Amino acid sequence: MMNREPAMDINHHAMTRRRFLGLSGLTVLAGCARVPTTGPVTQVSASGDTGGRQGIAVDPQPPPRGASPDLVVAGFLQSMTSPQDGYRIAREYLTTDAARTWDPDSGAVIYDASTASPVVTGTSAGLKAPLIATLDPAGLYQPVAGANLSLDFGLTREDGELRISTPPSGLVLSQFSFERAFHSVALYFTSLTRSYLVPELVHLPAEASTPTTAVNGLLTGPSQWLSGAATNVFPTGTKLSSDAVPVDSSGVAVVPLSREVTRLTDAQRRQIAGQVTWSLSTFPEVSRVRFTVGGTDVMIPGAAEDDTVSTGLFTSMSPLLSADLPNMMVLKEGRLGQVADQSGVFSPLAGLLGSGTASTAPAGIAVDRSGAFWALVDKPRRTLLRWQQGARTATPLATGVGLLRPQVCTDGSCWTISVQANSSRFIVVGQSGQRIEVRADELATRRVLAFSVSPDMARIALVVAENSARRLAMLRIRPVTDQSTGVIADGLTELRLDTTDTNMALLDDVGWISATDLMVVARATTDSPGAPFQIAVDGSGGIAVGPLSGVDVVAVSTLPRADGINALALTGAGQVLRYEDRYRWRTIATGATAMGICV
């Protein structure tokens, strides 16, 4: 008899994303979306398709008669907050020709308004400001460094009124407005190398952030960058068979799909149901999902009696853990031990590492998520070892030069990076002891200082040094296309975090705290104290994780989870701090040289 899913609600807290940065500046907003933001939307509940998430309420006004240059520019910028009717109000500030050709869906720029404002004279108007990031037409965020925004709005008179003749090619957003009026939606695709779902963030205006746009974005597929590591199981040509994904009063989202999905196997239907259900878990108005073709329910293996599903049916597709009170391990005076959460009592582990000395202590440690075994880098940083708790010896796995702190990944493989001068290469050993080749040609001329493999094993976050800079970068993990074994790590993308916060100018460490978020250790200058920051996978929305004062954080150890944060921080003075929800760090150990966290 087929096991069917009980009627249980989606855990919305896992993937709901809304970011706020306290940056001052003009309230200037614009938006773009993966799919068109105009067109009919069917509302079937009191909350409608948006679930009441409207961001900042803005009521833009058309230009008054005899408006001054200041009013025309300010009105145009503000009216870009309203995408209704194809940005009808914004177009009223443009000349007839400009209103006809302006394409607000072509993308957007995000700028720093704290040091700039529109420059308006009696006959002209412009805007110059540091450029922070861009959004492409799909809503994908890309940080930009060392560039400035320079606009000339080309004020001219038409029928006796001042109008803008040369608008920007797309939309213009201040950072202040972007963080408050845009929603981040995680769209989930299928990994090419593992059985996990892989998220990709898109940023949508609040009014366009709906289950309908999310499903349409999912059907469009992953970005070109992510497509090397993830794919859609949906057959080519699959689309929504109606204009909307309605959500009824009981929270059931009905996803009407075209007939292409009828060709899928049971396993494939389950896979696409997992993709959609996890993607819709962003929306609090959605508790369950039903799929239809031609008005008939699509049978999803394991679905409830009413053919609905929730994320509870697809927990195996997520590599995240639920661990509110993880085990905290500390290397202290050469011995590895567990620290009790409340008392702070240090209890050495049995075996080699629990009875070691400072002279034989490893330079880097990493624990398996379940705490079953450890990966070690010896003090000379030349040997990667594996150690089973209680064992009197450690097993050598591989050798290299300048090995970085290792990581035990979701599949049990042990990773480190061998660094020599300005060249870096991965050293990876599988759970059964076999060497796994990771081709990363782009690291052959770069010096890596720290790294962290994502829990879905589709991305690698890196701290890369270049001259005096230490920046965050991202690699994707994709399968080798020929008959060789191993994987390829390529598509190196640099994410400049100092464009949004100068306190993140120099990075020391990085670790994944969820499927879509990282924790980094960053500082403003080499002489400034290090502090932890939370940053999205695409480099957007950096916020300090604190408060912390009087300490210099140099490293973090993280355990990715579905909601909340599991993290330890190590200070330069040897303190180990445990993060507690509600933005509080608590000292749990002193005199430490390394740390690890597991369930």
Side-chain angles (χ1 to χ4, degrees):
M1 179 176 178
M2 179 181 296
N3 292 326
R4 302 187 70 87
E5 184 197 18
M8 57 185 291
D9 288 346
I10 289 177
N11 179 1
H12 302 296
H13 300 292
M15 295 301 164
T16 301
R17 303 183 53 84
R18 182 74 186 276
R19 297 188 171 276
F20 296 90
L21 284 188
L23 300 179
S24 61
L26 298 177
T27 306
V28 180
L29 169 68
C32 61
R34 175 176 291 270
V35 294
T37 59
T38 59
V41 176
T42 301
Q43 295 186 0
V44 296
S45 66
S47 63
D49 197 27
T50 63
R53 298 177 323 282
Q54 295 297 325
I56 294 177
V58 177
D59 185 20
Q61 300 297 314
R65 292 183 59 84
S68 66
D70 302 75
L71 286 177
V72 171
V73 171
F76 175 61
L77 293 175
Q78 186 184 46
S79 63
M80 284 191 287
T81 62
S82 177
Q84 288 94 348
D85 300 325
Y87 295 89
R88 178 180 59 82
I89 297 297
R91 294 182 195 275
E92 293 189 28
Y93 287 88
L94 308 179
T95 64
T96 302
D97 288 342
R100 183 171 55 252
T101 60
W102 179 55
D103 184 8
D105 293 323
S106 65
V109 293
I110 303 168
Y111 70 95
D112 181 2
S114 64
T115 59
S117 61
V119 179
V120 180
T121 68
T123 58
S124 65
L127 176 64
K128 292 185 178 181
L131 190 60
I132 292 176
T134 63
L135 288 179
D136 73 1
L140 297 171
Y141 183 98
Q142 179 61 53
V144 176
N148 292 297
L149 176 66
S150 182
L151 297 175
D152 181 353
F153 293 106
L155 286 183
T156 187
R157 289 197 176 272
E158 185 174 81
D159 298 329
E161 299 290 343
L162 282 176
R163 294 293 182 265
I164 293 171
S165 63
T166 57
S169 58
L171 299 171
V172 180
L173 304 85
S174 71
Q175 179 74 9
F176 178 89
S177 298
F178 169 69
E179 294 294 339
R180 281 160 172 73
F182 271 60
H183 288 164
S184 300
V185 178
L187 303 180
Y188 284 83
F189 302 98
T190 299
S191 171
L192 293 178
T193 58
R194 296 293 186 273
S195 58
Y196 297 127
L197 294 179
V198 178
E200 182 162 54
L201 291 183
V202 294
H203 302 268
L204 306 174
E207 294 179 9
S209 179
T210 68
T212 303
T213 55
V215 174
N216 274 321
L218 191 63
L219 293 175
T220 300
S223 66
Q224 182 178 1
W225 186 88
L226 189 61
S227 63
T231 187
N232 253 339
V233 179
F234 287 97
T236 302
T238 304
K239 58 182 180 297
L240 287 178
S241 59
S242 65
D243 294 328
V245 174
V247 183
D248 67 22
S249 58
S250 64
V252 174
V254 180
V255 181
L257 297 171
S258 55
R259 295 190 176 279
E260 284 82 358
V261 298
T262 61
R263 304 194 302 264
L264 298 177
T265 66
D266 285 353
Q268 290 170 327
R269 288 200 306 275
R270 190 177 188 278
Q271 192 70 29
I272 66 169
Q275 286 186 237
V276 173
T277 304
W278 273 108
S279 298
L280 293 186
S281 68
T282 296
F283 301 95
E285 69 269 31
V286 178
S287 60
R288 301 183 68 80
V289 182
R290 177 185 294 116
F291 300 86
T292 64
V293 171
T296 301
D297 289 355
V298 175
M299 299 299 296
I300 306 298
E305 294 293 339
D306 62 355
D307 294 325
T308 63
V309 296
S310 76
T311 54
L313 181 61
F314 310 109
T315 54
S316 63
M317 297 182 184
S318 171
L320 301 179
L321 299 172
S322 296
D324 292 331
L325 292 174
N327 294 314
M328 298 167 292
M329 307 295 186
V330 171
L331 188 64
K332 184 175 181 179
E333 297 177 349
R335 297 187 300 167
L336 182 66
Q338 183 173 350
V339 177
D341 179 56
Q342 295 301 322
S343 66
V345 172
F346 176 78
S347 302
L349 299 179
L352 175 67
L353 291 189
S355 59
T357 64
S359 61
T360 60
I365 60 175
V367 63
D368 172 58
R369 298 199 309 174
S370 65
F373 67 91
W374 293 75
L376 318 171
V377 167
D378 67 355
K379 201 162 190 176
R381 295 186 179 275
R382 290 184 175 274
T383 306
L384 174 68
L385 305 101
R386 176 184 168 115
W387 177 68
Q388 201 83 18
Q389 186 170 327
R392 302 303 303 176
T393 60
T395 303
L397 298 178
T399 59
V401 176
L403 299 182
L404 298 183
R405 179 190 62 198
Q407 178 180 348
V408 181
C409 292
T410 309
D411 64 350
S413 58
C414 300
W415 293 55
T416 184
I417 296 181
S418 177
V419 184
Q420 189 171 12
N422 290 319
S423 178
S424 306
R425 64 181 179 88
F426 282 101
I427 296 177
V428 182
V429 180
Q431 190 169 18
S432 61
Q434 78 280 14
R435 285 292 294 267
I436 300 173
E437 181 184 5
V438 179
R439 301 182 193 173
D441 295 341
E442 291 162 297
L443 298 187
T445 57
R446 290 177 170 86
R447 182 163 60 95
V448 178
L449 302 181
F451 76 99
S452 184
V453 181
S454 64
D456 52 39
M457 299 193 68
R459 298 178 176 94
I460 306 172
L462 309 158
V463 176
V464 178
E466 183 177 357
N467 298 323
S468 60
R470 303 195 300 267
R471 295 172 180 147
L472 180 65
M474 196 72 64
L475 287 170
R476 64 186 174 190
I477 301 175
R478 61 186 182 90
V480 178
T481 55
D482 57 27
Q483 300 301 312
S484 303
T485 59
V487 295
I488 296 174
D490 64 356
L492 186 76
T493 301
E494 185 178 297
L495 304 177
R496 286 291 298 270
L497 307 183
D498 56 335
T499 57
T500 57
D501 191 334
T502 56
N503 291 313
M504 292 190 285
L506 299 175
L507 267 64
D508 295 335
D509 200 6
V510 61
W512 292 85
I513 56 175
S514 74
T516 56
D517 286 275
L518 301 159
M519 182 175 287
V520 299
V521 176
R523 60 190 73 232
T525 67
T526 55
D527 297 326
S528 303
F533 292 82
Q534 182 176 347
I535 195 80
V537 64
D538 59 3
S540 63
I543 54 174
V545 182
L548 277 176
S549 61
V551 298
D552 177 22
V553 175
V554 296
V556 291
S557 180
T558 60
L559 183 66
R561 58 184 278 189
D563 57 350
I565 297 175
N566 282 329
L568 301 178
L570 178 66
T571 72
Q575 290 175 278
V576 176
L577 311 174
R578 177 180 180 265
Y579 178 78
E580 297 178 337
D581 286 341
R582 300 177 304 279
Y583 299 95
R584 178 174 179 263
W585 292 88
R586 179 167 55 88
T587 301
I588 63 167
T590 58
T593 56
M595 60 193 175
I597 186 170
C598 62
V599 295

